[in-house]
mmCIF file of all heavy atoms in Angstrom:
data_model
loop_
_atom_site.group_PDB
_atom_site.id
_atom_site.type_symbol
_atom_site.label_atom_id
_atom_site.label_comp_id
_atom_site.label_asym_id
_atom_site.label_seq_id
_atom_site.Cartn_x
_atom_site.Cartn_y
_atom_site.Cartn_z
ATOM 1 N N PHE A 6 0.004 14.986 -60.490
ATOM 2 C CA PHE A 6 -0.365 14.655 -61.860
ATOM 3 C C PHE A 6 0.460 13.479 -62.382
ATOM 4 O O PHE A 6 -0.082 12.525 -62.953
ATOM 5 C CB PHE A 6 -0.174 15.858 -62.778
ATOM 6 C CG PHE A 6 -0.344 15.523 -64.232
ATOM 7 C CD1 PHE A 6 -1.609 15.470 -64.800
ATOM 8 C CD2 PHE A 6 0.760 15.227 -65.026
ATOM 9 C CE1 PHE A 6 -1.766 15.127 -66.144
ATOM 10 C CE2 PHE A 6 0.605 14.888 -66.359
ATOM 11 C CZ PHE A 6 -0.657 14.833 -66.914
ATOM 12 N N LEU A 7 1.783 13.539 -62.210
ATOM 13 C CA LEU A 7 2.642 12.480 -62.736
ATOM 14 C C LEU A 7 2.357 11.148 -62.066
ATOM 15 O O LEU A 7 2.360 10.089 -62.716
ATOM 16 C CB LEU A 7 4.112 12.852 -62.569
ATOM 17 C CG LEU A 7 5.100 11.851 -63.161
ATOM 18 C CD1 LEU A 7 4.925 11.734 -64.672
ATOM 19 C CD2 LEU A 7 6.539 12.233 -62.814
ATOM 20 N N TYR A 8 2.100 11.197 -60.773
ATOM 21 C CA TYR A 8 1.781 9.959 -60.044
ATOM 22 C C TYR A 8 0.516 9.313 -60.603
ATOM 23 O O TYR A 8 0.504 8.118 -60.939
ATOM 24 C CB TYR A 8 1.613 10.276 -58.555
ATOM 25 C CG TYR A 8 1.025 9.141 -57.749
ATOM 26 C CD1 TYR A 8 1.762 7.993 -57.472
ATOM 27 C CD2 TYR A 8 -0.283 9.218 -57.250
ATOM 28 C CE1 TYR A 8 1.216 6.953 -56.728
ATOM 29 C CE2 TYR A 8 -0.830 8.190 -56.510
ATOM 30 C CZ TYR A 8 -0.073 7.055 -56.254
ATOM 31 O OH TYR A 8 -0.629 6.016 -55.517
ATOM 32 N N HIS A 9 -0.556 10.083 -60.725
ATOM 33 C CA HIS A 9 -1.815 9.522 -61.225
ATOM 34 C C HIS A 9 -1.721 9.156 -62.705
ATOM 35 O O HIS A 9 -2.324 8.159 -63.137
ATOM 36 C CB HIS A 9 -2.963 10.499 -60.967
ATOM 37 C CG HIS A 9 -3.328 10.598 -59.524
ATOM 38 N ND1 HIS A 9 -3.953 9.574 -58.839
ATOM 39 C CD2 HIS A 9 -3.149 11.597 -58.611
ATOM 40 C CE1 HIS A 9 -4.155 9.923 -57.584
ATOM 41 N NE2 HIS A 9 -3.667 11.152 -57.418
ATOM 42 N N TYR A 10 -0.982 9.936 -63.465
ATOM 43 C CA TYR A 10 -0.768 9.610 -64.876
ATOM 44 C C TYR A 10 -0.083 8.245 -65.004
ATOM 45 O O TYR A 10 -0.500 7.387 -65.798
ATOM 46 C CB TYR A 10 0.079 10.693 -65.540
ATOM 47 C CG TYR A 10 0.696 10.262 -66.860
ATOM 48 C CD1 TYR A 10 -0.051 10.274 -68.036
ATOM 49 C CD2 TYR A 10 2.021 9.824 -66.912
ATOM 50 C CE1 TYR A 10 0.513 9.865 -69.240
ATOM 51 C CE2 TYR A 10 2.589 9.413 -68.111
ATOM 52 C CZ TYR A 10 1.827 9.429 -69.268
ATOM 53 O OH TYR A 10 2.394 9.003 -70.454
ATOM 54 N N THR A 11 0.982 8.035 -64.221
ATOM 55 C CA THR A 11 1.717 6.769 -64.291
ATOM 56 C C THR A 11 0.858 5.609 -63.836
ATOM 57 O O THR A 11 0.896 4.515 -64.422
ATOM 58 C CB THR A 11 2.999 6.860 -63.443
ATOM 59 O OG1 THR A 11 3.771 7.993 -63.877
ATOM 60 C CG2 THR A 11 3.831 5.602 -63.583
ATOM 61 N N LEU A 12 0.047 5.834 -62.814
ATOM 62 C CA LEU A 12 -0.881 4.791 -62.360
ATOM 63 C C LEU A 12 -1.872 4.460 -63.469
ATOM 64 O O LEU A 12 -2.187 3.283 -63.723
ATOM 65 C CB LEU A 12 -1.602 5.267 -61.098
ATOM 66 C CG LEU A 12 -2.292 4.211 -60.231
ATOM 67 C CD1 LEU A 12 -1.344 3.106 -59.829
ATOM 68 C CD2 LEU A 12 -2.890 4.880 -58.993
ATOM 69 N N ASP A 13 -2.344 5.476 -64.175
ATOM 70 C CA ASP A 13 -3.248 5.257 -65.319
ATOM 71 C C ASP A 13 -2.565 4.436 -66.414
ATOM 72 O O ASP A 13 -3.176 3.536 -66.998
ATOM 73 C CB ASP A 13 -3.709 6.596 -65.905
ATOM 74 C CG ASP A 13 -4.731 7.313 -65.033
ATOM 75 O OD1 ASP A 13 -5.279 6.667 -64.108
ATOM 76 O OD2 ASP A 13 -4.966 8.510 -65.277
ATOM 77 N N VAL A 14 -1.299 4.767 -66.708
ATOM 78 C CA VAL A 14 -0.553 4.022 -67.724
ATOM 79 C C VAL A 14 -0.452 2.549 -67.331
ATOM 80 O O VAL A 14 -0.687 1.648 -68.148
ATOM 81 C CB VAL A 14 0.859 4.619 -67.913
ATOM 82 C CG1 VAL A 14 1.722 3.702 -68.795
ATOM 83 C CG2 VAL A 14 0.780 6.004 -68.541
ATOM 84 N N ALA A 15 -0.106 2.303 -66.068
ATOM 85 C CA ALA A 15 0.042 0.929 -65.588
ATOM 86 C C ALA A 15 -1.285 0.169 -65.646
ATOM 87 O O ALA A 15 -1.337 -0.983 -66.094
ATOM 88 C CB ALA A 15 0.589 0.936 -64.165
ATOM 89 N N GLN A 16 -2.352 0.813 -65.218
ATOM 90 C CA GLN A 16 -3.653 0.138 -65.198
ATOM 91 C C GLN A 16 -4.198 -0.088 -66.599
ATOM 92 O O GLN A 16 -4.745 -1.159 -66.900
ATOM 93 C CB GLN A 16 -4.626 0.943 -64.339
ATOM 94 C CG GLN A 16 -4.255 0.914 -62.855
ATOM 95 C CD GLN A 16 -5.085 1.854 -61.997
ATOM 96 O OE1 GLN A 16 -5.735 2.774 -62.512
ATOM 97 N NE2 GLN A 16 -5.054 1.644 -60.693
ATOM 98 N N LEU A 17 -4.036 0.889 -67.494
ATOM 99 C CA LEU A 17 -4.499 0.746 -68.871
ATOM 100 C C LEU A 17 -3.811 -0.424 -69.562
ATOM 101 O O LEU A 17 -4.434 -1.169 -70.333
ATOM 102 C CB LEU A 17 -4.227 2.034 -69.647
ATOM 103 C CG LEU A 17 -4.535 2.012 -71.151
ATOM 104 C CD1 LEU A 17 -6.032 1.808 -71.394
ATOM 105 C CD2 LEU A 17 -4.066 3.302 -71.818
ATOM 106 N N ASN A 18 -2.522 -0.600 -69.259
ATOM 107 C CA ASN A 18 -1.743 -1.651 -69.908
ATOM 108 C C ASN A 18 -1.676 -2.936 -69.087
ATOM 109 O O ASN A 18 -0.892 -3.831 -69.407
ATOM 110 C CB ASN A 18 -0.340 -1.117 -70.210
ATOM 111 C CG ASN A 18 -0.364 -0.064 -71.293
ATOM 112 O OD1 ASN A 18 -0.540 -0.367 -72.463
ATOM 113 N ND2 ASN A 18 -0.209 1.206 -70.903
ATOM 114 N N LYS A 19 -2.502 -2.992 -68.032
ATOM 115 C CA LYS A 19 -2.615 -4.196 -67.194
ATOM 116 C C LYS A 19 -1.258 -4.651 -66.652
ATOM 117 O O LYS A 19 -0.937 -5.848 -66.621
ATOM 118 C CB LYS A 19 -3.300 -5.332 -67.970
ATOM 119 C CG LYS A 19 -4.728 -5.005 -68.389
ATOM 120 C CD LYS A 19 -5.373 -6.157 -69.142
ATOM 121 C CE LYS A 19 -6.866 -5.910 -69.391
ATOM 122 N NZ LYS A 19 -7.141 -4.657 -70.118
ATOM 123 N N LEU A 20 -0.465 -3.673 -66.215
ATOM 124 C CA LEU A 20 0.812 -3.974 -65.599
ATOM 125 C C LEU A 20 0.597 -4.274 -64.120
ATOM 126 O O LEU A 20 -0.287 -3.692 -63.480
ATOM 127 C CB LEU A 20 1.769 -2.792 -65.765
ATOM 128 C CG LEU A 20 2.031 -2.359 -67.209
ATOM 129 C CD1 LEU A 20 2.982 -1.172 -67.243
ATOM 130 C CD2 LEU A 20 2.580 -3.501 -68.048
ATOM 131 N N GLU A 21 1.386 -5.162 -63.581
ATOM 132 C CA GLU A 21 1.231 -5.551 -62.178
ATOM 133 C C GLU A 21 1.808 -4.462 -61.272
ATOM 134 O O GLU A 21 3.019 -4.262 -61.219
ATOM 135 C CB GLU A 21 1.935 -6.880 -61.914
ATOM 136 C CG GLU A 21 1.738 -7.375 -60.489
ATOM 137 C CD GLU A 21 2.416 -8.710 -60.219
ATOM 138 O OE1 GLU A 21 3.020 -9.276 -61.154
ATOM 139 O OE2 GLU A 21 2.339 -9.175 -59.064
ATOM 140 N N VAL A 22 0.928 -3.766 -60.573
ATOM 141 C CA VAL A 22 1.346 -2.721 -59.644
ATOM 142 C C VAL A 22 1.558 -3.352 -58.277
ATOM 143 O O VAL A 22 0.626 -3.896 -57.677
ATOM 144 C CB VAL A 22 0.299 -1.593 -59.569
ATOM 145 C CG1 VAL A 22 0.720 -0.545 -58.541
ATOM 146 C CG2 VAL A 22 0.113 -0.944 -60.940
ATOM 147 N N LEU A 23 2.765 -3.296 -57.777
ATOM 148 C CA LEU A 23 3.112 -3.935 -56.504
ATOM 149 C C LEU A 23 2.898 -2.999 -55.318
ATOM 150 O O LEU A 23 2.494 -3.442 -54.244
ATOM 151 C CB LEU A 23 4.565 -4.407 -56.537
ATOM 152 C CG LEU A 23 4.918 -5.373 -57.679
ATOM 153 C CD1 LEU A 23 6.406 -5.667 -57.676
ATOM 154 C CD2 LEU A 23 4.125 -6.665 -57.555
ATOM 155 N N VAL A 24 3.200 -1.728 -55.521
ATOM 156 C CA VAL A 24 3.040 -0.726 -54.456
ATOM 157 C C VAL A 24 2.584 0.575 -55.094
ATOM 158 O O VAL A 24 3.117 0.963 -56.134
ATOM 159 C CB VAL A 24 4.368 -0.476 -53.696
ATOM 160 C CG1 VAL A 24 4.179 0.630 -52.657
ATOM 161 C CG2 VAL A 24 4.883 -1.741 -53.036
ATOM 162 N N HIS A 25 1.610 1.227 -54.492
ATOM 163 C CA HIS A 25 1.314 2.606 -54.882
ATOM 164 C C HIS A 25 0.757 3.343 -53.674
ATOM 165 O O HIS A 25 -0.109 2.845 -52.960
ATOM 166 C CB HIS A 25 0.357 2.680 -56.080
ATOM 167 C CG HIS A 25 -1.037 2.212 -55.822
ATOM 168 N ND1 HIS A 25 -2.050 3.070 -55.440
ATOM 169 C CD2 HIS A 25 -1.589 0.982 -55.901
ATOM 170 C CE1 HIS A 25 -3.172 2.380 -55.296
ATOM 171 N NE2 HIS A 25 -2.922 1.122 -55.564
ATOM 172 N N THR A 26 1.308 4.513 -53.439
ATOM 173 C CA THR A 26 0.863 5.340 -52.326
ATOM 174 C C THR A 26 1.098 6.800 -52.666
ATOM 175 O O THR A 26 2.115 7.144 -53.270
ATOM 176 C CB THR A 26 1.609 4.990 -51.019
ATOM 177 O OG1 THR A 26 1.267 5.947 -50.002
ATOM 178 C CG2 THR A 26 3.125 4.992 -51.201
ATOM 179 N N ASP A 27 0.157 7.656 -52.302
ATOM 180 C CA ASP A 27 0.322 9.088 -52.547
ATOM 181 C C ASP A 27 0.929 9.811 -51.351
ATOM 182 O O ASP A 27 1.002 11.031 -51.335
ATOM 183 C CB ASP A 27 -1.009 9.731 -52.946
ATOM 184 C CG ASP A 27 -2.070 9.621 -51.875
ATOM 185 O OD1 ASP A 27 -1.784 9.070 -50.778
ATOM 186 O OD2 ASP A 27 -3.207 10.065 -52.120
ATOM 187 N N ASP A 28 1.390 9.041 -50.348
ATOM 188 C CA ASP A 28 2.050 9.652 -49.182
ATOM 189 C C ASP A 28 2.962 8.607 -48.552
ATOM 190 O O ASP A 28 2.640 8.005 -47.534
ATOM 191 C CB ASP A 28 1.009 10.146 -48.177
ATOM 192 C CG ASP A 28 1.616 11.033 -47.096
ATOM 193 O OD1 ASP A 28 2.847 11.208 -47.082
ATOM 194 O OD2 ASP A 28 0.851 11.543 -46.257
ATOM 195 N N LEU A 29 4.114 8.389 -49.172
ATOM 196 C CA LEU A 29 5.007 7.294 -48.785
ATOM 197 C C LEU A 29 5.377 7.320 -47.310
ATOM 198 O O LEU A 29 5.351 6.290 -46.633
ATOM 199 C CB LEU A 29 6.280 7.347 -49.649
ATOM 200 C CG LEU A 29 7.384 6.347 -49.296
ATOM 201 C CD1 LEU A 29 6.893 4.918 -49.445
ATOM 202 C CD2 LEU A 29 8.616 6.593 -50.158
#
């Protein structure tokens, strides 16, 4: 939940996401 929530926050605010993975 926290991972997807944070990804939503970043995408909603058009923040530059450099890395995202659900299984590092």
Side-chain angles (χ1 to χ4, degrees):
F6 172 83
L7 183 63
Y8 169 72
H9 289 290
Y10 163 80
T11 305
L12 198 54
D13 286 346
V14 170
Q16 291 172 343
L17 175 64
N18 291 286
K19 298 180 172 57
L20 303 179
E21 183 179 358
V22 177
L23 303 175
V24 177
H25 68 93
T26 172
D27 61 2
D28 192 356
L29 175 61

